[in-house]
Amino acid sequence: MDSLNHSQNNNSNDEKEDQNNLITEKPKEKTNKENTIEKSNNNKEKKEKQAREPFRKILYLKQDYPDNYIDDSFLEKLILNANVHPLKFWEVSKSSLAITQQVTIVIIFCLVFFHALTNTITITHFFILDIFLVLIGYFIFLLILPIKTISINKFLHHLKVLLVLLVLLYCVSPVLRTLTQTFSPDTIWALTIILFVIHLLSQDYDYINGLSDKLNAPLSLNAAIFASVILASRLDSDMLVFAFVSFAIEIFGFFPVIRHMAYKLSFKIHFLLTFLMCFGTFVSIYVFNRFFSFLFVGVLLMMSVFIPGIFTYLHRYKITVNGPWDEAKPAPLYSLMN
Amino acid sequence: MIEEKDLFKPEEKRYRILMASDFFYPNVGGVENHIFQLSQCLIKRGHKVVVCTHQYKKRKGIRYMTNGLKVYYIPKQPTFRQTTLPTLLNSLPMFRNIMIRERIDIVHGHQATSCICHETITCAREMGIKTVFTDHSLFSFNEIGSFNLHKVSNYSLAEINHVICVSHTGKENTSLRAKIHPIKVSVIPNAIDASQFTPDPSKKTPGEITIVVMSRHTYRKGVDLLIQLIPIVCKKVPNAKFVIGGDGPNRVNIEEMREKYNLHDRIEMLGFVPHELVRNVLTRGDIFLNTSLTEAFCIAIVEAASCGLFVVSTAVGGVPEVLPSHMIKFAKPDAEQLAQAVIDSIGPSQEVDPWLFHSQVKNMYNWDDVAERTEAVYDKIQFDVQQPLVNRIHRYFNCGTWASKAFCFALALQFLFMLILEWLMPANEVDIAPDFPLKQFLKNKDKLNQSWTKSYKVIERANEK
């Protein structure tokens, strides 16, 4: 330990040296004897330093230094935390809202399923819900879009897509209803849970938080739609299945787009939306089961306060080490090939 | 050739050294060559050297190579990239047996990715044998694979007596990732057998600028850079020709580029070139091009400079330390800058005196010098004292928050296992292998050669019949 400090004290950039010390934690078990030998060696070296040629980091010349000589330039090209910026709790908490939204959506979806299963929602209610969501969603979509880009052709195109989707879904809904008839309910619940976990883990939260402009989460969407299809297969009538799956497409397929646009528009809207979703979920769970509703509040607090707190706290221990030993990253091949 | 008078080391300063690595002949590569050449030079200096490596297909058991270099091909199957599976206890009995049989004084492990290297070092540590480790590569800190490797190195190198690195950059890297005090790390470069790499200016094609590339065609060796660079150079220099040797997964991409830019007459692809024929390819060239993205010590550029070629290289890792500025031109790892460097070095490459380059390189790097410096390391560590178990556990306990507990557990396990082994197979009951009688061998070498050639002829005749 001593010898290293010795050689490093000469160096002017003290801050860096301290960090170096942190990284190269030296084994302290050197016997005193060894230490004194090294010290005296170092002193000798210092005296000779004036007379000798300065040390150079080269291999082709035999230099007048021992092979294990530690020069002042040792580790001077080391770069610590080149791309690490200290995180702020509020920023982490802010970006965790996207995850909160996604979790509430999954919970709402499951609640709606249980209501459909126990026939507390009738088909009529379901269709009203679907149409209401589509209209409201499209209305917000139009509101947020820049006015210049709106045209009648675009509207017709959207309408066409919607109709094709609905007709297709209507045609396959009898098949979907009988899809898992031979399966035990346990399999279905287990599969659904696994699929929703996959959905939550692989969702493109960057997109919802406005960091990227293209939704890139095919696995997430597939998992959610698959889960909704196998849940739908437990329902009684074809029409209910049709309504239920279209509901799933609305909230898993289209809703992220709206949320992305809302975030881009202003954070206040995003926050308000999250709050409304959380509140709505809380009320619907409260009606269902009082205990679960408080559990839900606990989960929310954990996601937006507790975990971001831990994350920011632990982030200060992050050290990235870069240096001349890193693999160089040349420009990707296609940039010149094309 | 070794003469008897070369064996000048006094008896008490001769060591029995075990070189341990997954990488050895018949596999070909830089580490393999390093171990072989270093062993030969150490034998020449009077030491006994034993190599321990895993089996290569049917090659298992004990073999003798040049000058009585004994090689143990131990029965462990290689799995991924010629490395064996890491075990904590399984291989210890075998290594312990080898070390007792050969009366080993020093265990010298090579290459951080080799499991045999780490296992022998931990085994030697339990037996109180001095350990040295040579690191041949650089590892970055931002890959998931390296994390595990760093932890393994951390464990096996915690009590190492000395570490040798091939470049100053390597020293920084190793002391950081294995958490070793830099005073315990020596820099001893690689070397080449300069007599194998002599220039031959008559092989050059007059009126053409031949640029030689010799590397495995993998991403890490900078194939992408090469593919981008060749069309630029070919466009700007009409008489430039590329000779590309080597094989690898990315070879197809180079061929694709050759098709696309219609450069069949400008690029010659040689495929895999055996090491002994590399010189014949190098002597054809004016410029040697190295596009590696990371490199601890680039032996290829030293070989090229020894053959009298001007070198153009990416300035990565330890490469800037290897050659003096009048032999090499550096560029950033970027295709256009590298292409410009190649074009700029056409002038200097025509003024190179190949034999001057050769004699300079010969003085810079030779194996005898490497062996001498390695021997100095061996001499130095003889004074290290084996610590009692309590101190050792304390040392491992400082290795990290979570890893340290696992390390202590592993250490205790290995310690107990060695006690059980000592009880089952006491060290004094293990047969001692006789040392190779090098003196007598050298004295009677001619006679032996004659009798061997005779017996070969008998075998050949038998085969003919």
Side-chain angles (χ1 to χ4, degrees), chain A residues 1-5 7-8 19-20 22-31 33-35 37-39 41-42 45 55-63 65-71 73-80 319-338, chain B residues 138-143 158 162 166-169 171-173 175-176 179-189 219-220 223-225 227-228 232 253 256-257 260-261 292-294 297 316-318 320-325 333-336 363-366 369 373 377 380 384 387 391 394-395 398:
Chain A
M1 203 73 187
D2 277 359
S3 65
L4 190 82
N5 287 339
S7 59
Q8 283 179 343
Q19 285 166 332
N20 287 355
L22 267 180
I23 286 208
T24 46
E25 263 181 273
K26 303 298 134 21
K28 293 171 189 167
E29 292 75 16
K30 276 219 169 67
T31 54
K33 201 178 159 193
E34 264 179 300
N35 258 342
I37 291 172
E38 277 164 18
K39 246 184 210 173
N41 275 348
N42 256 30
E45 271 167 21
F55 177 81
R56 286 160 71 199
K57 268 193 183 177
I58 48 172
L59 302 166
Y60 51 85
L61 260 183
K62 262 179 220 115
Q63 302 184 66
Y65 292 88
D67 283 338
N68 61 347
Y69 173 74
I70 309 166
D71 193 59
S73 65
F74 187 70
L75 287 178
E76 76 180 353
K77 281 186 184 164
L78 176 86
I79 303 162
L80 281 172
I319 303 173
T320 59
V321 182
N322 293 89
W325 46 80
D326 284 334
E327 201 173 273
K329 288 192 180 65
L333 200 51
Y334 53 82
S335 64
L336 270 165
M337 286 295 274
N338 297 332
Chain B
L138 301 174
F139 295 94
S140 67
F141 291 86
N142 44 22
E143 289 161 26
H162 213 89
V166 291
S167 62
H168 294 287
T169 310
K171 174 175 174 168
E172 296 180 354
N173 185 237
S175 55
L176 267 187
K179 293 185 181 148
I180 302 169
H181 193 298
I183 206 116
K184 274 182 158 185
V185 185
S186 285
V187 178
I188 302 177
Y219 174 76
R220 277 168 82 92
V223 174
D224 289 10
L225 282 177
I227 291 169
Q228 296 173 18
I232 304 176
N253 303 30
E256 234 170 47
M257 177 270 297
K260 185 169 177 179
Y261 292 92
S292 288
L293 302 182
T294 177
F297 178 97
V316 292
E321 303 168 21
V322 176
L323 286 176
S325 54
D334 170 77
E336 276 172 56
N363 286 333
M364 287 171 200
Y365 302 106
N366 64 70
D369 178 49
R373 288 159 82 173
V377 169
K380 198 186 284 173
D384 288 2
Q387 300 281 330
N391 291 6
H394 188 74
R395 169 174 299 188
N398 291 336

Side-chain angles (χ1 to χ4, degrees), chain B residues 398-410:
Chain B
N398 291 336
C399 280
T401 325
W402 303 104
S404 62
K405 277 73 177 177
F407 287 179
C408 290
F409 179 71

Side-chain angles (χ1 to χ4, degrees), chain B residues 33 190-195 197 299 302-303 306 361 365-367:
Chain B
N33 191 41
N190 263 321
I192 61 161
D193 187 357
S195 61
F197 294 95
I299 202 81
V302 182
E303 290 172 351
S306 174
V361 171
Y365 302 106
N366 64 70
W367 286 111

